[in-house]
Amino acid sequence: MTAGLMALVSRFGVTAPAWLWLLPLALMPLVASSQKRIPVPSLAMVPADGLSRLVDAVLTLAGMAAIGFLILALAGPHLVGESLMRTGEGAQISLLIDRSGSMNETFAGRQPSGPEESKAAASRRILEGFVGRRAHDLVAVSAFSTSPMAVLPMTDRHDAVRAAIRAIDRPGLEATNVARGLGLALAQFGPGAPQASRVLLLVSDGAAIIDRRVQPTLREEFAKIRPTLYWLFLRTAGSPGLGDRPAGEDTPQAAPERHLDLFFKSLGVPYRAFEAESAQAVEEAIREIDRQERKPISYTERRPQRDLTGFAYGLAALAMALLLAAKLAETDLAVRASASRPAASRETRRAA
Amino acid sequence: MTGDILYRLRGPAAGPGPGAHRSRDTGGLGVFRDQVPFWRHPDARRIDLRATLRDPFEGTVVRRFEQRRALEVWALVDLSASMRFRGAGAAWDLVTELCIALARSATRIGDAFGLVGCGAGPDLMLPASRRRGTADVVAERLAATRPQGMSADGLLAAASSLAGRRKLVAVVSDFRLPDALTGALFDRLQGHDVVPVAIEDGALDEGLPAFGQIELEDLEGGGRRRVLMRPSLRTRWLAREAERRDSLRRLALRHGRPPYRLADRFDGDDFSRHLLGTAA
């Protein structure tokens, strides 16, 4: 309780502290009063009265509060924003999305027409839902085609993430360079929160050869970060699957998907590939990932700065309402109009 | 003419010269008092022939007549700041009217009128005078005076200065004084005929509001107090005032006359009735 109060006080701040120099004015009700003071011969004639003393104390305090809170309100009080470390259920998810030209095609390998949707649009639709579902996920978005693009760093702002995902069905570019994309997606995890579950979700519709020279670096990175790797393979109808051996020579050039799959399996991190040939299949794959990646994660909750000006004005208004009520309840002794008095004394003097 | 005050001293007067009041002195003129042997009052003009003839011891009897004397009327006025109070009436105006009326009435019948005003010390002093213009002087001096004493302790010293022959002393105050001071004041005025005149105000009495809140300020610098008026408090207030008035009355009666309550407006006839009625 006290600690909570202390925390609250330590977060308190004002925008224009110069106004606070006026705060001694709040002591004015101790010496002055808005009411008419009625002189009486002696206060000893007034019986002691507890209720009157209470009312006096309350009104004095109300006067001080009215002035004090008005000045405080002018100074612009607020609670400073802060970030809190919380623990929730979720994962650090690094999305790596293929932006190659083929993503613009439908699962049937055509340009989308009518009600059909492109692979990019389908993945966009489904990933959007995936991101919103869990509140405490940290998500980073990267895209790759010829070169990788860091779209969004690791964040819990799901609006931003959804906006980034919405952008992935823009027409893509040329080729597919998986290796550099993976490098970037791994770099997105960054340091910190080692206990959190890390997920690297690769969405692509094809593969490319990973240069042998890059492979050791990638392995090293994977070994260091140890993410769970999911490959959402948006397979175009009729194209070779992950398990299909090519008819001819089994080289990376001939069957890049198969060899990428093999490379992933050899990384030593939890790995799962989903071969999705339709939008429904993609959705199922996403649901599967959603089900599996639930571990405690520490995340930062940001509390925005809270403006207390209205609150201060409200309190001042309350105090002033009290004072106004007291003012309206003010009464007077039955004082006769003093006009008749000098006339009487003139008469007496004349008589004298 | 209204406003003239008739008064009579409790007991015989002992003024400086002949006047309008009964006294113990005997003289040649006036109301018959008694018969004494010639040797006690050798005034051949006043020999009572009938009584002389009737006297079995054949002594000569002389009539004596009561000599009427003048007296001194004094007003001892409290000049503490509380006399500035204005309620249904203005206390200071009442005091002024009372003193002017007393001065006028006294000088009209040949008595002297003097005035002492005291706050914390003696502030205003008008020696007793029989001049006809005394009332004007009193009016002038009182109009120029503003009661602002922080106490009425000067009354004691002033009371001591009123020594000598028996006088009629009107003590004009609101009697919101410490009981000890009032008692001591009456004690020092023991030899005189003391008429306490208590200046009060209807606004602090029946005129008190039953509801509402008032901020009161002590005229004598006793601070301020906020009071939430309500019927129960008003009842207590009135009871307290009645009790104070009663204790003053008992104290005054022990020294002679009961106090005269002067509230809101001055009525000379009423004051006369009080003076005559309590003179016995």
Side-chain angles (χ1 to χ4, degrees), chain A residues 45-130:
Chain A
M45 67 193 295
V46 187
D49 183 38
L51 187 62
S52 295
R53 266 213 300 279
L54 183 72
V55 167
D56 185 39
V58 166
L59 289 184
T60 308
L61 282 181
M64 294 169 71
I67 297 175
F69 280 120
L70 275 181
I71 292 170
L72 200 62
L74 286 174
H78 57 254
L79 287 181
V80 177
E82 62 174 356
S83 3
L84 290 177
M85 292 301 290
R86 293 268 169 109
T87 307
E89 199 174 61
Q92 287 187 341
I93 300 172
S94 183
L95 291 178
L96 181 60
I97 298 162
D98 189 353
R99 294 291 313 276
S100 61
S102 55
M103 285 292 278
N104 300 335
E105 296 167 5
T106 64
F107 283 94
R110 291 193 299 266
Q111 286 298 317
S113 64
E116 296 171 321
E117 59 180 350
S118 66
K119 285 179 275 188
S123 56
R124 165 199 144 161
R125 178 169 54 80
I126 291 147
L127 287 174
E128 250 187 294
F130 171 64

Side-chain angles (χ1 to χ4, degrees), chain B residues 36-236:
Chain B
V36 291
F38 182 76
W39 57 265
R40 272 190 64 190
H41 189 71
D43 185 354
R45 292 176 299 172
R46 309 280 179 250
I47 292 174
D48 189 345
L49 285 177
R50 284 172 190 276
T52 304
L53 292 174
R54 234 183 8 245
D55 187 3
F57 303 105
E58 298 187 338
T60 309
V61 177
V62 178
R63 283 193 191 129
R64 284 204 309 187
F65 297 90
E66 208 172 60
Q67 172 82 58
R68 297 185 82 89
R69 316 270 328 173
L71 63 85
E72 279 183 17
V73 178
W74 281 83
L76 196 54
V77 180
D78 179 359
L79 284 187
S80 61
S82 62
M83 298 296 282
R84 255 185 358 232
F85 178 71
R86 298 181 81 92
W92 189 240
D93 291 346
L94 290 179
V95 171
T96 309
E97 275 183 76
L98 174 82
C99 289
I100 292 171
L102 261 183
R104 196 178 58 229
S105 315
T107 49
R108 192 189 299 283
I109 56 172
D111 290 341
F113 180 81
L115 186 139
V116 191
C118 307
D123 296 328
L124 176 64
M125 178 77 192
L126 269 179
S129 155
R130 298 165 64 179
R131 284 189 298 119
R132 275 300 164 89
T134 305
D136 290 336
V137 178
V138 168
E140 216 169 88
R141 292 293 295 272
L142 286 184
T145 306
R146 193 175 150 74
Q148 50 201 1
M150 284 297 120
S151 76
D153 296 341
L155 282 176
L156 275 185
S160 305
S161 73
L162 293 182
R165 280 190 285 252
R166 190 170 170 81
K167 303 170 177 67
L168 180 71
V169 180
V171 181
V172 187
S173 169
D174 54 6
F175 288 102
R176 298 187 190 281
L177 311 171
D179 278 351
L181 178 62
T182 315
L185 179 63
F186 286 156
D187 281 340
R188 297 227 179 152
L189 292 171
Q190 190 65 62
H192 306 297
D193 182 8
V194 179
V195 184
V197 179
I199 307 288
E200 295 190 6
D201 201 290
L204 291 175
D205 199 22
E206 293 305 317
L208 281 176
F211 287 104
Q213 60 114 2
I214 321 180
E215 195 167 319
L216 300 172
E217 186 180 23
D218 194 324
L219 276 170
E220 294 184 17
R224 54 160 213 104
R225 194 188 307 172
R226 203 191 299 270
V227 175
L228 186 68
M229 287 303 290
R230 52 198 191 280
S232 69
L233 182 64
R234 183 175 183 270
T235 314
R236 268 197 290 153

Side-chain angles (χ1 to χ4, degrees), chain A residues 22-349:
Chain A
L22 292 179
L23 264 186
L25 286 180
L27 295 177
M28 263 192 339
L30 290 179
V31 288
S33 158
S34 65
Q35 299 213 340
K36 186 182 170 192
R37 283 191 182 177
I38 297 164
V40 290
S42 164
L43 279 185
M45 67 193 295
V46 187
D49 183 38
L51 187 62
S52 295
R53 266 213 300 279
L54 183 72
V55 167
D56 185 39
V58 166
L59 289 184
T60 308
L61 282 181
M64 294 169 71
I67 297 175
F69 280 120
L70 275 181
I71 292 170
L72 200 62
L74 286 174
H78 57 254
L79 287 181
V80 177
E82 62 174 356
S83 3
L84 290 177
M85 292 301 290
R86 293 268 169 109
T87 307
E89 199 174 61
Q92 287 187 341
I93 300 172
S94 183
L95 291 178
L96 181 60
I97 298 162
D98 189 353
R99 294 291 313 276
S100 61
S102 55
M103 285 292 278
N104 300 335
E105 296 167 5
T106 64
F107 283 94
R110 291 193 299 266
Q111 286 298 317
S113 64
E116 296 171 321
E117 59 180 350
S118 66
K119 285 179 275 188
S123 56
R124 165 199 144 161
R125 178 169 54 80
I126 291 147
L127 287 174
E128 250 187 294
F130 171 64
V131 165
R133 218 171 294 166
R134 303 194 300 182
H136 304 316
D137 279 343
L138 296 176
V139 186
V141 181
S142 332
F144 70 97
S145 56
T146 313
S147 66
M149 292 167 266
V151 180
L152 194 71
M154 197 65 78
T155 177
D156 58 351
R157 308 280 172 90
H158 290 178
D159 290 337
V161 174
R162 268 195 290 275
I165 291 171
R166 266 200 292 281
I168 64 173
D169 64 342
R170 303 272 158 204
L173 303 161
E174 281 313 305
T176 310
N177 188 346
V178 188
R180 290 178 66 187
L182 282 173
L184 178 69
L186 286 173
Q188 294 273 32
F189 285 114
Q195 85 283 6
S197 79
R198 288 169 163 172
V199 176
L200 202 163
L201 178 56
L202 168 64
V203 181
S204 95
D205 67 337
I209 308 141
I210 293 181
D211 198 329
R212 281 198 182 280
R213 284 166 298 183
V214 192
Q215 278 189 16
T217 325
L218 273 180
R219 274 179 211 283
E220 202 176 298
E221 283 287 309
F222 268 101
K224 202 161 73 190
I225 295 169
R226 301 202 58 78
T228 312
L229 178 61
Y230 293 98
W231 184 12
L232 192 58
F233 179 44
L234 305 175
R235 184 176 164 194
T236 314
S239 70
L242 297 179
D244 297 343
R245 283 176 168 276
E249 215 175 335
D250 189 10
T251 58
Q253 283 77 10
E257 290 84 7
R258 187 176 123 77
H259 280 269
L260 187 60
D261 185 44
L262 290 175
F263 171 69
F264 285 158
K265 278 177 180 156
S266 70
L267 282 175
V269 295
Y271 163 65
R272 207 167 152 194
F274 298 95
E275 278 182 78
E277 292 183 19
S278 65
Q280 286 79 19
V282 173
E283 205 162 335
E284 272 165 36
I286 288 288
R287 219 173 294 137
E288 177 69 22
I289 296 170
D290 183 26
R291 205 161 39 243
Q292 290 191 356
E293 296 303 328
R294 288 186 179 276
K295 273 191 199 167
I297 181 179
S298 74
Y299 64 97
T300 325
E301 184 183 309
R302 276 187 204 81
R303 284 199 195 160
Q305 169 168 323
R306 199 166 148 226
D307 189 16
L308 298 177
T309 309
F311 188 62
Y313 274 127
L315 281 178
L318 198 72
M320 282 191 281
L322 208 61
L323 290 175
L324 185 66
K327 185 74 184 165
L328 289 178
E330 188 181 353
T331 180
D332 199 349
L333 296 175
V335 176
R336 191 171 61 175
S338 57
S340 66
R341 180 51 58 183
S345 66
R346 257 204 309 281
E347 187 189 314
T348 323
R349 215 167 297 168

